[in-house]
Amino acid sequence: GWTMPKWLNEAGFTSNGTLTERDQAQTLVKKMTLAPSLGIGAYFWYDLVNDGTDRSDQENNYGLVNADYTPKAAAIAAHTVMSALDGQRFLRRISIPAAPNVYALLYGTEKRGTIAFWNEGESSVPVLLRLPGSDGTRLSMMGEVTPLRRISGLVALNVSQEPQFLTFSGPASRVQFAGTPLQCESPVYAAPGESVTLQLSLRNPLA
């Protein structure tokens, strides 16, 4: 039989009023990197240009650029996504059992790879990954590049709500989750001002 391809048309996010341009950029990166993992064959962002100049109007602020064609944060983020993932295909979501709210989406080939990652939870989460090769960079959604620091082949990430990318050389299929160095054994709930006791486990991945 014939399988109908799945496309997302006019998918977007406004940057009006209480929703900032940074919020819009974060949402764009998440949507564009997550779509292939869901079997989406094409993704069309709405909109290219803001429809107007009223910052409080939702419909005026869906664009990647302002009404005067100056770039918004989302335009820079879109460029970062396309540059980071160019020539690579989605392979899998890296399972992180201790942190189900963390998304780590692996793209790559047999020669290089990229991981898009972020946390949907409210706090940052430390995560360890084992990557192939010896080089690599950490790339913010706004295109800022920093070299990767490795210890015995491991890379330590502090995964926050803002999406970022790891790029590296070598077969992308060899990426492995290496654990979380610090983990709370069970959920703890407390009212403001209340003292609680946390039971934490600290793991040395090099031991």
Side-chain angles (χ1 to χ4, degrees), residues 43-151:
Y43 188 99
F44 297 87
W45 181 263
Y46 177 87
D47 198 359
L48 177 59
V49 184
N50 277 2
D51 290 342
T53 58
D54 184 353
R55 294 294 184 185
S56 65
D57 186 285
Q58 178 172 307
E59 288 298 328
N60 276 195
N61 294 281
Y62 278 95
L64 296 179
V65 299
N66 293 300
D68 63 359
Y69 292 92
T70 54
K72 297 164 64 178
I76 300 171
H79 180 267
T80 300
V81 172
M82 290 184 285
S83 298
L85 302 183
D86 182 40
Q88 302 173 71
R89 62 185 180 86
F90 174 75
L91 299 177
R92 60 185 169 90
R93 178 178 174 181
I94 301 170
S95 176
I96 303 178
N101 288 327
V102 169
Y103 284 77
L105 307 175
L106 177 62
Y107 288 77
T109 66
E110 284 305 304
K111 295 183 177 180
R112 62 190 178 101
T114 300
I115 302 170
F117 63 93
W118 68 87
N119 179 29
E120 287 296 333
E122 295 183 359
S123 58
S124 298
V125 176
V127 171
L128 294 171
L129 294 176
R130 189 175 299 279
L131 302 181
S134 58
D135 61 353
T137 60
R138 186 168 181 154
L139 183 65
S140 77
M141 70 174 189
M142 302 306 290
E144 300 160 326
V145 180
T146 55
L148 279 186
R149 294 185 59 188
R150 300 186 188 220
I151 301 177

Side-chain angles (χ1 to χ4, degrees), residues 18-37:
T18 58
L19 302 172
T20 67
E21 289 191 13
R22 196 89 180 187
D23 294 332
Q24 184 189 38
Q26 288 185 21
T27 302
L28 178 144
V29 174
K30 293 176 181 180
K31 287 176 177 286
M32 291 184 70
T33 55
L34 185 61
S37 75

